[in-house]
Amino acid sequence: MALHKLAVVLSAVSRVFGASLTQVTNFGENPTKIQMFEYVPDKLTESPAIIVNLHPCGGSATSWFRGTRMPSYADQLGFILIYPGTTNMNNCWDVQSEGSLTHGKGGDALAIVNMVDYALKTYSGDPEHVYVMGSSSGAMMTNVLAGSYPDVFEAGSAYSGVAHACFAGAPSATPMSPNQTCAQGLTHTPEEWAAFVHNSYPGYEGRRTRMQIWHGNSDFLVRPQCAVEALKQWSAVWGETNTKNVTGVPSAAYTQILFGDNGANVMGFFGQGVGHTAPVNEEFTLRFFGLMD
């Protein structure tokens, strides 16, 4: 009798928590042999949005799935989550490679785009509502994907990352790499940063990826200047200037930096006393994506 009651309880739990993180192995071309995991809630919206979630160095798809509240929001709002995972380069993304920094060339970036294509086709997703977010190395790849694949990603949210192509030409992009010039705050003019983006997809004249940049002012691993440079880059890509700064948003420690029309296309957040990495603020990211009010 006790076993029967346990089975009934487990069955009820399974119905309530039916969705789970599942690995996909046949998503398409995978030049760097990375992993794909997906979280598909039980109740999807019609033509669901897709968010790619990128783990930091040393992390994994499964740990990052547990690291934010995005799955609970997916359950509430009916969008799909993709969790790529890499075991290469100390579990860091290849944000320095020519493949990832060139549209259609290869690298982790192309594999991730193929994951998106798989999900769009499998679940009749909305190609106009594909987004990417990540932390540290995942934030760096968020910037790379925004630069190399603006035709795929409508918006990105990067927590403690660096500008697109900041690591270009480096032997690797790990904290142990001998070349840390990028992470220490490599500077360029806005026009030079924008050129890196345009050169990653020559001739492209379509929409550009809207970008949200988060960083801690006490980050000594990836210096705050890296966020300044990323904002220089994306504001130049969009042709917008800093129009307003708001203290106390989203909390007392932060200052919100807005560009153009109230930050619709480019916005930043700097946290006083915040180190590496800046905590994920799911609500502000989802609002920027346009997936919640």
Side-chain angles (χ1 to χ4, degrees):
M1 181 64 70
L3 289 175
H4 173 72
K5 290 181 178 178
L6 178 61
V8 171
V9 171
L10 290 176
S11 176
V13 171
S14 177
R15 288 195 299 272
V16 174
F17 302 105
S20 61
L21 189 68
T22 305
Q23 186 167 8
V24 177
T25 58
N26 59 341
F27 58 84
E29 184 182 357
N30 186 9
T32 50
K33 296 180 172 56
I34 61 176
Q35 303 164 329
M36 174 184 177
F37 290 81
E38 64 179 14
Y39 181 76
V40 182
D42 295 330
K43 293 183 179 179
L44 285 175
T45 60
E46 185 177 354
S47 298
I50 295 171
I51 303 178
V52 174
N53 295 258
L54 294 162
H55 66 72
C57 272
S60 67
T62 53
S63 66
W64 193 232
F65 173 74
R66 298 188 300 269
T68 77
R69 294 178 294 158
M70 278 297 180
S72 67
Y73 284 101
D75 290 334
Q76 296 172 40
L77 302 172
F79 53 77
I80 293 169
L81 299 173
I82 294 175
Y83 288 88
T86 180
T87 57
N88 304 324
M89 204 168 62
N90 300 112
N91 294 33
C92 301
W93 301 103
D94 72 340
V95 297
Q96 84 292 345
S97 76
E98 181 184 2
S100 281
L101 292 170
T102 308
H103 183 88
K105 183 88 171 185
D108 290 345
L110 180 61
I112 292 167
V113 166
N114 287 336
M115 296 177 194
V116 171
D117 289 342
Y118 168 88
L120 288 171
K121 293 172 184 175
T122 303
Y123 303 105
S124 299
D126 186 347
E128 297 300 313
H129 292 90
V130 177
Y131 309 93
V132 57
M133 61 86 64
S135 177
S136 192
S137 179
M140 298 174 190
M141 180 53 80
T142 294
N143 280 277
V144 166
L145 288 167
S148 296
Y149 293 92
D151 55 330
V152 175
F153 296 98
E154 201 279 327
S157 184
Y159 289 81
S160 306
V162 301
H164 173 86
C166 181
F167 269 104
S172 68
T174 77
M176 292 73 71
S177 173
N179 186 344
Q180 292 298 312
T181 305
C182 168
Q184 292 303 305
L186 175 67
T187 61
H188 285 294
T189 66
E191 294 72 24
E192 288 169 338
W193 280 122
F196 286 127
V197 171
H198 294 303
N199 291 340
S200 287
Y201 194 176
Y204 177 73
E205 297 181 354
R207 72 174 185 189
R208 287 291 170 181
T209 305
R210 299 185 296 110
M211 287 299 293
Q212 185 184 68
I213 304 295
W214 298 77
H215 221 97
N217 284 334
S218 296
D219 190 338
F220 300 109
L221 182 64
V222 181
R223 299 281 181 171
Q225 186 65 34
C226 295
V228 174
E229 299 302 309
L231 289 170
K232 285 163 59 176
Q233 181 173 64
W234 295 113
S235 61
V237 167
W238 278 94
E240 297 182 345
T241 59
N242 179 204
T243 52
K244 187 179 181 182
N245 296 342
V246 185
T247 58
V249 178
S251 64
Y254 282 84
T255 298
Q256 183 185 44
I257 315 297
L258 301 174
F259 293 80
D261 184 14
N262 206 33
N265 298 318
V266 183
M267 71 166 60
F269 296 89
F270 288 88
Q272 194 65 29
V274 176
H276 192 80
T277 60
V280 171
N281 188 309
E282 295 88 350
E283 290 87 352
F284 268 70
T285 288
L286 290 171
R287 287 171 190 159
F288 184 72
F289 289 172
L291 297 179
M292 67 180 294
D293 297 329

